[in-house]
Amino acid sequence: MAFFLSEIKDKTITESSVPFLWRRLSPRSLRGVIIGVLACNIMVFLMLCQPAYLRLSSLQEDKIHWEEVLRRGVSYTSPIIPTMDQLPDMIEQCRNAFVNQGVNVVSVNVERFGERREAGKGASIDYALVRLRLLGQWQGIVTSLKELEEMQGVGIHAQEVVLAEPGGEALLQIYFCTGE
């Protein structure tokens, strides 16, 4: 055992006993490795953390807005979504929007009503699908559809529009409120 320890003390470290990577590592290359690792960390931050930070600031803006709404209170009393008994009036509004653009409404057909998913005492939002057959210029049809979708206080969305030579057909989804 003493022979082994004296042999270790007498040996000096030679280049052949040092691994190849450690021999090539100099202060300049070590600085390059550190800068590379820092650059990778910055890239990861920009790609992963910055979108989350931007979303957080957006949520903080939303929080400020809704706190202001709670502080001021709600000032309107009329319902935003019409009730089912107002559905014929909404269909008539749709017809009038087309007539005002010079498009003749040949037929109106209520295809189906949306089904409530859960029965209860509370109010729920349902819809009716209304198909309109139209005769007139395409530009008038498109303008009327845009006007209907942008109408305030009524939830009307074009589900399907088929334009043909004399006019076309439009399937409108009209939202209304049912229940208490």
Side-chain angles (χ1 to χ4, degrees):
M1 182 89 147
F3 174 73
F4 182 71
L5 291 175
S6 67
E7 196 174 295
I8 292 176
K9 287 180 186 178
D10 292 339
K11 285 190 178 179
T12 58
I13 299 177
T14 61
E15 282 190 25
S16 62
S17 64
V18 177
F20 179 72
L21 286 176
W22 289 109
R23 278 186 277 155
R24 299 213 20 121
L25 194 62
S26 66
R28 184 176 182 175
S29 63
L30 184 62
R31 188 174 356 157
V33 169
I34 291 172
I35 289 173
V37 168
L38 288 174
C40 288
N41 284 339
I42 291 171
M43 294 287 282
V44 166
F45 173 76
L46 291 177
M47 293 175 69
L48 300 177
C49 298
Q50 189 178 20
Y53 177 75
L54 293 176
R55 178 69 180 138
L56 177 64
S57 65
S58 172
L59 288 174
Q60 288 172 342
E61 290 173 8
D62 289 346
K63 178 184 171 190
I64 291 169
H65 169 74
W66 288 112
E67 285 175 346
E68 182 67 22
V69 168
L70 285 174
R71 188 181 60 77
R72 280 187 289 148
V74 180
S75 61
Y76 61 89
T77 57
S78 63
I80 295 174
I81 300 174
T83 58
M84 185 174 186
D85 59 342
Q86 296 170 325
L87 182 62
D89 293 332
M90 290 188 293
I91 294 173
E92 186 62 25
Q93 282 180 348
C94 294
R95 193 187 73 73
N96 287 337
F98 286 105
V99 170
N100 291 340
Q101 293 295 326
V103 177
N104 188 18
V105 179
V106 177
S107 68
V108 177
N109 183 22
V110 178
E111 289 192 356
R112 73 180 179 106
F113 290 94
E115 300 173 8
R116 294 200 312 190
R117 291 192 173 94
E118 56 184 61
K121 295 180 181 179
S124 65
I125 297 175
D126 286 336
Y127 64 91
L129 290 177
V130 178
R131 186 170 301 273
L132 304 170
R133 290 193 56 229
L134 310 166
L135 288 176
Q137 297 292 322
W138 288 0
Q139 184 62 33
I141 294 172
V142 170
T143 304
S144 299
L145 289 171
K146 286 181 183 177
E147 180 182 312
L148 287 173
E149 286 189 337
E150 293 172 357
M151 193 180 302
Q152 297 293 324
V154 181
I156 299 174
H157 300 285
Q159 288 294 323
E160 176 183 308
V161 178
V162 178
L163 298 175
E165 183 76 26
E169 279 189 5
L171 181 64
L172 301 178
Q173 187 171 13
I174 301 174
Y175 292 98
F176 56 87
C177 183
T178 59
E180 296 175 8

